[in-house]
Amino acid sequence: MELQAQHRLAQTQQDRDREVERLRDLQRKSILEMKKDHKDQVQRLKRLKDEEIDAVTSATSQTRSLTVVIEQMEHFSHRLGDPLSRVESTHENTAQGLEQGARDAGPSGPAAEGHGRGENKA
């Protein structure tokens, strides 16, 4: 009887040792998987950070480019204002000169000539 009890005790001890080893193996695998997941998450976060930095850098670059274009447009607009005012001034002076010439010419102007031609045909 004592031999059977010792045998059962040895069997139970072996079963317990195998179970402890199985649990340790599961724990090691679990720890390795958690480490891998952690490493993957860190890499993902680094990639997202790099993408965000790239996006901000790109947006800043585009903003600078747009600012340069706007400044150039304002500069060209100011430069176009001078010739435009000169053209408007010349046009106004020409119109005034034509009006003055028409007043000075009196009835011998274009209206009087057209009337005279009408008389010749009759």
Side-chain angles (χ1 to χ4, degrees):
M1 188 84 165
E2 195 175 302
L3 189 59
Q4 282 182 337
Q6 285 179 349
H7 181 64
R8 272 191 249 144
L9 182 62
Q11 184 65 35
T12 305
Q13 185 67 30
Q14 281 182 337
D15 290 346
R16 189 183 67 82
D17 289 346
R18 278 190 293 241
E19 183 64 17
V20 167
E21 186 57 34
R22 186 183 74 80
L23 290 173
R24 283 183 181 156
D25 188 48
L26 284 174
Q27 185 182 28
R28 277 191 297 271
K29 287 178 181 177
S30 180
I31 289 172
L32 287 174
E33 190 172 326
M34 285 190 285
K35 284 181 179 181
K36 182 186 176 296
D37 287 345
H38 178 262
K39 182 181 176 182
D40 291 346
Q41 289 297 322
V42 168
Q43 289 300 320
R44 181 179 166 272
L45 288 173
K46 285 180 180 179
R47 183 178 44 83
L48 289 173
K49 181 184 119 196
D50 289 343
E51 288 174 4
E52 187 173 354
I53 288 171
D54 289 346
V56 169
T57 302
S58 176
T60 301
S61 176
Q62 289 177 0
T63 301
R64 285 185 187 142
S65 295
L66 286 173
T67 301
V68 168
V69 168
I70 289 170
E71 288 172 356
Q72 288 175 347
M73 294 296 288
E74 289 173 349
H75 178 72
F76 291 139
S77 174
H78 289 298
R79 287 182 55 199
L80 284 175
D82 291 338
L84 181 62
S85 64
R86 284 189 221 137
V87 167
E88 287 174 349
S89 176
T90 302
H91 179 72
E92 195 174 300
N93 289 339
T94 302
Q96 288 174 355
L98 290 173
E99 287 176 12
Q100 184 65 38
R103 278 187 291 224
D104 291 345
S108 63
E113 290 175 12
H115 183 39
R117 275 188 242 130
E119 289 176 4
N120 290 342
K121 289 184 180 179

